[in-house]
Amino acid sequence: MHEFIRTEMLIGTENLNKLKQSTVAVFGIGGVGTFVVEGLVRSGVEKLVLIDYDNICITNINRQIHATTKTVGRPKVEVMKERILEINPKAQVIAYKELYNSENASKLLSKEYTYVVDAIDMVSSKLDLIQRCKQMNIPIISSMGAGNKLNPTMLEVSDIYKTSVCPLARVMRYELRKRGIEKLKVVYSKETPITPKNMVNDPNRRQTPGSVSFVPSVAGLIIASEVVKDIINK
């Protein structure tokens, strides 16, 4: 008996070994990204790369799995690495406390990655990461907007050019088309965004979205499921 016996019953020994031998990099360890990582490590993925420049803030407690009153102020990647190793001590985790951009792309992005997850907030960083993954033939899935939403049942997996309603997806469609990128798997919501009722002034963001525990988390777990299915069907 082992910790992944129930998963092995579902997907088989060969596919569980595929997951163990895969390296998945998750860019953005926030509301969506933490649940991507959670889903992956509990599925048997043993090699994970975590990229995020931020520290856990008290406002993260409402939706990010690594955020508690004990972890506020600590680097997100460091706390998530500890959580991974508590779930699976055999896991190999590389944590980069860095903001992904074109300047450090060569350090943070590797052709050795089996799969890349884009759970980044910044459009410029998302676009750069997607473009480089396409050039390097690294499979990538991208999260669209999970803020200002209340209904997790409205989340869908789609190609970016088949999306609608989501404001971030609209911007991404326009920018990716300009860059000649013909397809991109995404998770997005068809729910009409809710206008935040009490605006929070945050100098680091143009407009801070409202959020809840059960939309980013479900988006993250959907992404994890797509990564797992794609790896075992490869």
Side-chain angles (χ1 to χ4, degrees), residues 161-179:
Y161 295 111
K162 295 178 181 176
T163 58
S164 59
V165 182
C166 174
L168 176 57
R170 185 186 313 122
V171 172
M172 294 296 290
R173 286 197 305 270
Y174 174 76
E175 294 294 338
L176 290 171
R177 192 174 283 116
K178 283 201 304 185
R179 289 161 172 78

Side-chain angles (χ1 to χ4, degrees), residues 98-108 124-125 128 132:
E98 295 194 40
L99 174 68
Y100 175 84
N101 53 39
S102 57
E103 283 77 43
N104 60 15
S106 59
K107 174 185 176 182
L108 301 178
S124 59
S125 294
D128 188 86
R132 289 175 192 271

Side-chain angles (χ1 to χ4, degrees), residues 95-157:
Y96 292 106
K97 189 182 187 297
E98 295 194 40
L99 174 68
Y100 175 84
N101 53 39
S102 57
E103 283 77 43
N104 60 15
S106 59
K107 174 185 176 182
L108 301 178
L109 189 57
S110 168
K111 64 180 187 302
E112 302 303 317
Y113 296 162
T114 309
Y115 216 110
V116 164
V117 174
D118 159 33
I120 303 172
D121 291 335
M122 291 174 56
V123 172
S124 59
S125 294
K126 291 177 87 71
L127 290 167
D128 188 86
L129 179 62
I130 292 162
Q131 192 164 18
R132 289 175 192 271
C133 283
K134 292 294 183 180
Q135 290 166 352
M136 296 167 74
N137 289 317
I138 304 170
I140 181 170
I141 184 168
S142 185
S143 172
M144 296 295 104
N148 295 334
K149 308 286 176 78
L150 267 178
N151 187 352
T153 67
M154 298 288 280
L155 289 159
E156 293 185 11
V157 180

Side-chain angles (χ1 to χ4, degrees), residues 12-200:
T13 305
E14 183 183 347
N15 285 329
L16 183 61
N17 286 333
K18 277 188 187 178
L19 293 174
K20 286 183 178 182
Q21 292 158 15
S22 297
T23 302
V24 181
V26 181
F27 289 75
I29 309 298
V32 174
T34 52
F35 280 88
V36 174
V37 174
E38 186 82 4
L40 292 174
V41 69
R42 291 188 187 273
S43 297
V45 176
E46 289 192 350
K47 298 175 184 176
L48 289 148
V49 183
L50 314 179
I51 301 97
D52 197 298
Y53 71 99
D54 214 355
N55 294 326
I56 294 170
C57 168
I58 196 165
T59 63
N60 300 151
I61 286 177
N62 80 322
R63 69 196 183 283
Q64 301 185 16
I65 203 165
H66 56 15
T68 69
T69 53
K70 290 183 178 179
T71 61
V72 167
R74 294 186 58 205
K76 290 182 176 182
V77 291
E78 184 181 293
V79 177
M80 200 67 213
K81 178 177 180 177
E82 289 174 4
R83 183 176 177 88
I84 291 167
L85 294 173
E86 286 177 1
I87 295 166
N88 182 4
K90 298 188 293 292
Q92 300 171 43
V93 188
I94 298 171
Y96 292 106
K97 189 182 187 297
E98 295 194 40
L99 174 68
Y100 175 84
N101 53 39
S102 57
E103 283 77 43
N104 60 15
S106 59
K107 174 185 176 182
L108 301 178
L109 189 57
S110 168
K111 64 180 187 302
E112 302 303 317
Y113 296 162
T114 309
Y115 216 110
V116 164
V117 174
D118 159 33
I120 303 172
D121 291 335
M122 291 174 56
V123 172
S124 59
S125 294
K126 291 177 87 71
L127 290 167
D128 188 86
L129 179 62
I130 292 162
Q131 192 164 18
R132 289 175 192 271
C133 283
K134 292 294 183 180
Q135 290 166 352
M136 296 167 74
N137 289 317
I138 304 170
I140 181 170
I141 184 168
S142 185
S143 172
M144 296 295 104
N148 295 334
K149 308 286 176 78
L150 267 178
N151 187 352
T153 67
M154 298 288 280
L155 289 159
E156 293 185 11
V157 180
S158 179
D159 182 77
I160 186 66
Y161 295 111
K162 295 178 181 176
T163 58
S164 59
V165 182
C166 174
L168 176 57
R170 185 186 313 122
V171 172
M172 294 296 290
R173 286 197 305 270
Y174 174 76
E175 294 294 338
L176 290 171
R177 192 174 283 116
K178 283 201 304 185
R179 289 161 172 78
I181 293 170
E182 297 178 354
K183 62 180 181 178
L184 173 69
K185 184 186 279 196
V186 301
V187 172
Y188 81 107
S189 174
K190 280 185 175 174
E191 182 182 3
T192 302
I194 296 164
T195 303
K197 292 172 175 55
N198 296 303
M199 298 302 294
V200 177

